[in-house]
Amino acid sequence: MKKISRRHFLKLCTASAAAVGLSQMWIPAVGEAFRKAAGGNPPILWIQGSACNGCSTSLVNTVHPNMRELLTEIINMSFHPGFSSKAGSLLTDQLMETSRRNEGNFILVVEGAIPRAYQGMFNIVGEDSSGKKVTLISLLSDLCKRAKTVIAVGSCASFGGISAAEPNDAECVGLEKLADVNKVVNIPGCPPHPDWIVGTLAQLLLYGNPELDDYGRPKLFYEGLIHNNCPRRQYFDNSIFAEQPGEDGCLLQIGCKGPLTHGDCPTRLWNGASSWCVGANAPCIGCTDPSFPDLTMPFYKRMSEIEGPGITSTADAIGMGLGVATALGLAAHLTGNYLTGRIGRKKRDREGDI
Ligand code: FSX
Ligand code: SF4
């Protein structure tokens, strides 16, 4: 990987510090977490389910703090399949032992969806000391009960995501269908931004549970619509649309789902604050919302439910009003699907059955 110069690194930090959230809460929070770590933070047990490993890869790309600082000075990562030198029953035994010793005090992080078909046999995580196969679903049934807090990292763990896309023969689901939802914090995204993961962990360590929206997402990172902070918003308001990727203009006609998607990507930016999907001329594919991906596909085709502004006025206020109405209408449409069970159940209606 190309090394970033110190000057460039500092420049990226400055850009990050200007982003929503970071300057207000994140930088002081990290400093505080550093100090608190000396007193011992609760262990984090990180489990991987049915997924692409992109969430862990995104975490490794954390810039501020970097991964070394995160692991050695902030969080107490007691278990992660990808960072462990052990395998097989040694690994599962260590996991169970750590969870028993820290019952009610550890943070369980789950990455990836949970396949339920055939008693969970599509996802074997290892063997116990007697040689019996351990399925992810049985492992989680123990760990979710013992954990103090459960964090679903990524859209797969949160809502099923790509792993649960139709036809979903493995019957993958997100944690919301299995665990006590009062314990679960969702950090969706395919993958989620490293700041969303690290920032949520820091917030949990320092202040307890973050404030969540209706879908269990920390408001700090997911409250705003992509569309409302998009630098191409003036194009939308003036009905100037790109017809091909790479062209100037709003990307609505080539599939942008920004009007229905929640997240701070336009202000936080990705990859060390260097760019983001729309900044790289790619439409937002709606990866942080429960509707992803079945209802946001085809990714590069306009959704008929998203209405354009229908005006050529330069008055941003008028465009903003129409944009909000558009977003609200679409959100209602998608929430309807969510409530009717097409893509899941709403948080407050659910009972945990693990
Ligand atoms: Fe899912 Fe994680 Fe998408 Fe991948 O492992 S959220 S498929 S980018 O990253 O679980
Ligand atoms: Fe930006 Fe997409 Fe909204 Fe257009 S539709 S303004 S590209 S978020």
Side-chain angles (χ1 to χ4, degrees), residues 82-104:
F83 303 154
S84 176
S85 55
K86 292 181 183 161
S89 62
L90 281 177
L91 197 59
T92 38
D93 289 350
Q94 179 195 322
L95 172 66
M96 298 317 279
E97 162 59 18
T98 309
S99 73
R100 276 187 215 106
R101 226 177 330 110
N102 295 280
E103 180 146 5

Side-chain angles (χ1 to χ4, degrees), residues 32-46:
E32 186 60 28
F34 277 141
R35 287 188 284 282
K36 197 175 173 186
N41 277 323
I44 292 174
L45 305 181
W46 185 298

Side-chain angles (χ1 to χ4, degrees), residues 46 48-58 110-113 153-158 160-163 187-192 287 292:
W46 185 298
Q48 291 180 312
S50 176
C52 75
N53 200 47
C55 303
S56 285
T57 305
S58 185
V110 180
E111 167 185 6
V153 166
S155 295
C156 302
S158 300
I162 290 276
S163 304
I187 310 180
C190 193
C287 77
F292 173 81

